Amino acid sequence: MAKTKLFKILMAAFLTISCVGFTANAQRVSSSAKEAASAKVSKEAKAEAKKLTKEGWKVAPGALPLERQLERSYGLQYEFNDENQPKYLFGDGMSTAESYDVAKMQATEIAKQNLASKIESELTAEIKTTVSNNQMSPEEATSLLEILQGSRTVITQSMGRVTPVTEVYRKLKNKNTEVSVRIAYNSETIKKKAKDIIRKQQRERGEKIHQNIEGYELGNH
C-alpha cells in the first residue's frame, strides 16, 4: 500500500513538472510568434507587396501575409557566413496549370532546378580557380566539369522536400492558376551535397579523385 501511494505521489509530481515545462515552452513559442507578428516590415517589402498585389498575386489561405514573406526573403539575402559570402542560395520558379497544387509542385521543381544551376555555376568557378592555382590539371578539371554538368538532376533530387520562402498565385483569364515560388537553401550544405555527388560519380567511373577544391576534400571524407 505504501509503495502504491509513493508511486502515485511521484507520478503526480512528474506530471506537474512536465506540464509546467510544456506551458513555459508554449509561452516562449507564443511570445516569439507575437514578436514576429508585431515586427515592423520594411518599406521595400511593403512596396513590393503592393506592386505584386496590383498585378493580381495573392497568398494561399493560412500563409503568411505577402509583405511578411518578402521581409523573410530579404532577411535571408542579408545573411553572410564567416567569409562574408551569402549564407543562402535562392532558386525561383513559376508555373501555370489548371489546379493550384499542380502549378505549385511544378513551380517548386523549377525553383530547385534553378538553384541547382547556380550551384553548378559556383562549383565550375571553383574548379577553374583550382586549375589556375596549379592545384589541378586541365584533364582532371575537364573530367570534373563533365560530371558536374551531368549531375544537375541528382543535385536537384538531393534537396528533398523544400518549403518556399515566398509563394504567391493568381488566376489567369483562361481560369488557369499561375504560381510563383522562391526557395532558399543553405549554401554550405547544398555545396557539400553536390561535392559528395561528384565524388561518388568519380568513384563509379573509376577515376582518380581530386583532393582539394576550395578547401573541401572530394576524396575520402
Side-chain angles (χ1 to χ4, degrees):
M1 180 68 73
K3 289 183 178 180
T4 300
K5 186 175 181 180
L6 177 60
F7 176 76
K8 289 181 178 180
I9 293 174
L10 290 174
M11 283 299 296
F14 172 76
L15 291 173
T16 300
I17 294 173
S18 298
C19 288
V20 170
F22 175 80
T23 301
N25 183 63
Q27 289 175 340
R28 285 194 295 271
V29 172
S30 177
S31 176
S32 298
K34 288 179 179 179
E35 288 176 4
S38 60
K40 291 184 178 180
V41 176
S42 66
K43 292 181 179 179
E44 292 82 0
K46 288 181 179 179
E48 182 65 13
K50 186 176 181 180
K51 174 177 174 292
L52 292 172
T53 300
K54 284 185 177 180
E55 294 175 356
W57 294 102
K58 303 176 182 179
V59 299
L64 287 174
L66 183 51
E67 59 268 22
R68 292 290 178 187
Q69 293 188 34
L70 293 169
E71 188 70 15
R72 181 174 60 176
S73 178
Y74 295 157
L76 293 178
Q77 290 180 63
Y78 296 145
E79 288 194 37
F80 297 87
N81 59 23
D82 295 337
E83 298 177 351
N84 203 32
Q85 295 297 317
K87 192 173 182 179
Y88 294 93
L89 288 177
F90 295 85
D92 297 288
M94 185 180 295
S95 182
T96 302
E98 292 184 0
S99 72
Y100 171 83
D101 290 338
V102 172
K104 177 186 174 181
M105 180 181 66
Q106 294 174 346
T108 302
E109 186 62 24
I110 292 172
K112 290 167 69 174
Q113 292 173 5
N114 178 247
L115 198 155
S117 178
K118 292 180 180 179
I119 288 294
E120 182 183 323
S121 297
E122 292 206 5
L123 293 185
T124 296
E126 287 188 17
I127 292 171
K128 290 181 178 179
T129 298
T130 305
V131 173
S132 66
N133 292 335
N134 296 317
Q135 296 176 306
M136 182 190 299
S137 70
E139 292 75 19
E140 287 179 295
T142 298
S143 175
L144 282 175
L145 290 172
E146 287 178 355
I147 293 173
L148 179 58
Q149 291 169 2
S151 301
R152 187 180 301 179
T153 299
V154 183
I155 294 172
T156 300
Q157 293 172 345
S158 73
M159 297 179 198
R161 184 177 180 180
V162 295
T163 301
V165 177
T166 62
E167 176 188 337
V168 291
Y169 78 97
R170 62 183 174 185
K171 286 289 185 179
L172 303 179
K173 291 181 179 180
N174 60 6
K175 296 185 179 180
N176 283 343
T177 300
E178 185 176 28
V179 174
S180 176
V181 302
R182 163 169 279 197
I183 63 172
Y185 215 105
N186 182 280
S187 178
E188 183 179 343
T189 299
I190 192 61
K191 282 186 179 180
K192 182 180 183 303
K193 287 185 177 183
K195 291 174 180 179
D196 285 342
I197 290 169
I198 294 173
R199 184 174 67 242
K200 179 181 178 182
Q201 294 195 10
Q202 275 188 300
R203 285 177 176 151
E204 290 174 350
R205 289 171 56 160
E207 296 184 1
K208 177 182 177 182
I209 301 172
H210 193 73
Q211 295 292 321
N212 183 22
I213 292 185
E214 291 295 314
Y216 181 83
E217 291 186 348
L218 286 179
N220 297 326
H221 183 74

